[in-house]
Amino acid sequence: QVHLVESGGGVVQPGRSLRLSCAASGFTFSTYAMHWVRQAPGKGLEWVALISHDGNNKYYADSVKGRFTISRDNTRNTLYLQMNSLRAEDTAVYYCARDPSSCPPLFCWYFDLWGRGTLVSVSS
Amino acid sequence: YELTQPPAVSVSPGQTARITCSGDALPNQYAYWYQQKPGQAPVMVMYTDTVRASGIPERFSGSGSGTTVTLTISGVQAEDEADYYCQSADSNETNVLFGGGTKLTVL
């Protein structure tokens, strides 16, 4: 069975850092682009970042550009999100999600598999 | 570039629910739909405007016309009560956009 399992969430003070992980299983992780998507409490979905299958191409939402870094380790089947200079408005459940990756030239820009999410709460 | 959905739609069991999503780029970009039940992760129900995702019941269908795409649920069941989000990409394909979500209530 295919699975994505996020971890690393928690309570953190404004201005501090946190790193999220997403462990993939049941599919060939190294052939898929991956996304992070977040959802603030009681709010809608917001895309955060995308990384290509090989890690060479990355895209970010304007709201996190310069503060968050997406990365991956294909030897560990794991996706990461390094979050620096955290703000109260970054409080959300963070989901990792798979891009079908079957669309030319590189990305499909949608999500065919989601993890269950990990909650990040930024508060003093 | 924004995607606009009605905040709420209510139908009785067995009726047809239609959830719309409007955006200026939709004539040129595919739309996707996700279902999210309380406390759960989203699940893709429709992709490239009209294709039902694997495991999604046939009562779900998608259509598009101009700047509006529509998710239709025929013969709504109680289990269909959820939030539904449309999603697309911007014209440069460097950003993902979500609609604000529609809460479907089955009366």
Side-chain angles (χ1 to χ4, degrees):
Chain A
Q1 248 185 336
V2 293
H3 281 300
L4 296 171
V5 179
E6 302 90 340
S7 60
V11 180
V12 60
Q13 293 180 326
R16 303 297 291 266
S17 299
L18 203 62
R19 188 177 83 157
L20 306 182
S21 300
C22 170
S25 60
F27 64 98
T28 307
F29 178 71
S30 61
T31 64
Y32 286 88
M34 297 294 296
H35 301 260
W36 287 99
V37 178
R38 68 184 180 182
Q39 186 171 34
K43 302 297 185 181
L45 300 169
E46 179 188 17
W47 174 75
V48 173
L50 162 67
I51 187 168
S52 59
H53 71 286
D54 57 5
N56 287 338
N57 300 90
K58 303 176 185 180
Y59 296 90
Y60 298 93
D62 288 343
S63 58
V64 306
K65 204 172 293 183
R67 300 188 299 123
F68 289 12
T69 301
I70 189 171
S71 63
R72 65 192 297 158
D73 184 341
N74 286 342
T75 65
R76 297 177 181 269
N77 291 338
T78 302
L79 174 73
Y80 301 102
L81 186 68
Q82 177 67 43
M83 304 185 295
N84 298 332
S85 303
L86 281 161
R87 307 167 179 167
E89 54 265 36
D90 296 319
T91 294
V93 174
Y94 284 74
Y95 298 100
C96 65
R98 189 178 73 176
D99 187 293
S101 304
S102 55
C103 312
L106 263 184
F107 311 117
C108 292
W109 294 95
Y110 69 97
F111 321 100
D112 67 348
L113 177 68
W114 296 69
R116 299 192 67 170
T118 186
L119 176 62
V120 173
S121 180
V122 184
S123 173
S124 54
Chain B
Y1 173 36
E2 293 181 343
L3 296 176
T4 302
Q5 299 180 235
V9 169
S10 299
V11 296
S12 299
Q15 290 190 327
T16 295
R18 293 180 179 85
I19 300 172
T20 59
C21 174
S22 299
D24 289 341
L26 287 178
N28 302 310
Q29 294 290 333
Y30 285 123
Y32 309 88
W33 291 94
Y34 305 89
Q35 176 194 68
Q36 187 179 34
K37 297 182 178 180
Q40 297 185 20
V43 172
M44 185 176 68
V45 296
M46 201 72 55
Y47 63 100
T48 54
D49 292 352
T50 60
V51 182
R52 209 167 32 248
S54 176
I56 300 303
E58 290 185 6
R59 62 180 180 274
F60 287 82
S61 63
S63 61
S65 179
T67 58
T68 299
V69 293
T70 302
L71 176 69
T72 300
I73 311 172
S74 304
V76 165
Q77 300 184 7
E79 67 197 49
D80 300 329
E81 187 164 283
D83 292 327
Y84 290 86
Y85 294 91
C86 66
Q87 177 252 310
S88 189
D90 68 8
S91 57
N92 296 322
E93 291 196 337
T94 58
N95 193 14
V96 169
L97 292 163
F98 285 99
T102 298
K103 182 175 181 58
L104 175 66
T105 299
V106 181
L107 300 170

